[in-house]
Amino acid sequence: VTQVTVWENDTDFTDAEGRPPHSVEVLALGGTDEAVARAVWASKAGGIASYGSTSVTFTDARGVSRTASFSRPSSLLMYATVEVEIDPAAYEGADAVKAAIVAATTSYRAGETALISDLVLAVRALPGVIDAYVWIGVLAAFYTQARTNYTPGPRARCVFDTGRVVVTER
């Protein structure tokens, strides 16, 4: 498991996110379903329900069948258009720019804002890049992208990939 977020509903009513009364919801990235379910079961207090979109039944060390629920973050596929002003003598190419964008965003957590400044800094740190302008969005069409930060919902994480980054050089 590489990322975990936990919410609790300690009220007597279902909360606005649909969590039942006296429950916890674990949002986990990575790990097998069974390993996450076992960790949720072992970590929650007795009498507290686990909640989530994934439910796993397993047998505990005493041979008792247990069920624990948790959620997985959805991947919000992000697109980027990068315009770089370059020094051709030192510039490593568009593939290096694409890799820098992905490297700067791989640790984004569910609900974390994709910051334009993170992307610009990553690209500007490359040899031969004099300046950089970055547009991002959830659609490939350039006219739908913006030079503003993007905040996904609390259960989604922004995921960039080199195949969804377009680089132009000037």
Side-chain angles (χ1 to χ4, degrees):
V1 174
T2 57
Q3 296 176 4
V4 175
T5 303
V6 180
W7 297 284
E8 68 174 339
N9 178 5
D10 59 0
T11 71
D12 292 332
F13 307 97
T14 299
D15 69 13
E17 297 296 323
R19 288 181 282 271
H22 309 287
S23 67
V24 294
E25 179 181 9
V26 173
L27 185 72
L29 178 64
T32 65
D33 286 353
E34 183 173 337
V36 173
R38 285 179 179 275
V40 169
W41 181 262
S43 300
K44 72 176 192 62
I48 301 299
S50 60
Y51 173 79
S53 58
T54 301
S55 291
V56 176
T57 301
F58 59 91
T59 304
D60 70 12
R62 297 184 322 198
V64 177
S65 180
R66 306 288 187 182
T67 300
S69 299
F70 61 93
S71 297
R72 297 285 191 182
S74 61
S75 294
L76 185 59
L77 302 181
M78 299 294 295
Y79 294 83
T81 300
V82 183
E83 183 178 304
V84 289
E85 183 179 338
I86 63 165
D87 171 1
Y91 180 59
E92 296 177 348
D95 287 344
V97 172
K98 293 176 181 186
I101 294 287
V102 172
T105 61
T106 55
S107 65
Y108 280 167
R109 300 177 62 81
E112 184 175 353
T113 300
L115 299 172
I116 291 292
S117 59
D118 287 348
L119 307 180
V120 170
L121 287 172
V123 173
R124 293 239 12 246
L126 295 172
V129 174
I130 298 166
D131 207 353
Y133 305 91
V134 178
W135 293 261
I136 61 173
V138 295
L139 298 173
F142 174 73
Y143 67 88
T144 65
Q145 299 172 8
R147 288 181 57 194
T148 57
N149 300 334
Y150 188 90
T151 303
R155 288 181 172 79
R157 59 187 288 267
C158 295
V159 176
F160 290 82
D161 181 84
T162 58
R164 293 189 305 274
V165 177
V166 174
V167 179
T168 59
E169 301 148 358
R170 59 182 177 100

